[in-house]
Amino acid sequence: MTSNTITDRAVLEQELAQIRRQGYSVDNMEHEEGVYCIACPIRDHTGEVIAAVSITTTSLRLQLEKLMVHLPTLTATVDEISGEL
């Protein structure tokens, strides 16, 4: 897809393990050039991931570092939604 797309299985497995540890994922132009995204899971009452919420922007509007400023709000939002479930 892009030069940042993870194509090596071992690297992908490492990335997935890191996502599980940190509780969120980052798309650093891996799917589309010029597009950044951060996402957090929504969990049901058993802790199972059933959905996700993400924030996406373009590199023309916001760099990844500035997008990451919104991670605490995103995390709080998904925690609240998950709590309601």
Side-chain angles (χ1 to χ4, degrees):
M1 300 231 157
T2 74
S3 61
N4 289 349
T5 301
I6 299 171
T7 58
D8 180 270
R9 183 182 180 101
V11 173
L12 177 60
E13 289 174 356
Q14 290 173 350
E15 179 74 11
L16 291 172
Q18 179 179 339
I19 291 166
R20 284 185 199 99
R21 278 191 307 275
Q22 66 191 17
Y24 65 92
S25 63
V26 176
D27 179 347
N28 184 7
M29 294 193 271
E30 294 163 42
H31 184 265
E32 188 173 344
E33 290 290 339
V35 177
Y36 299 116
C37 177
I38 54 175
C40 293
I42 295 176
R43 298 178 184 276
D44 67 10
H45 68 283
T46 67
E48 182 81 19
V49 175
I50 59 166
V53 176
S54 66
I55 303 172
T56 304
T57 191
T58 65
S59 59
L60 295 174
R61 290 188 157 270
L62 209 59
Q63 291 301 306
L64 183 57
E65 297 78 23
K66 297 281 186 175
L67 178 60
M68 294 302 290
V69 169
H70 300 284
L71 183 60
T73 302
L74 181 60
T75 301
T77 300
V78 298
D79 287 349
E80 185 174 336
I81 294 168
S82 295
E84 292 292 321
L85 299 175

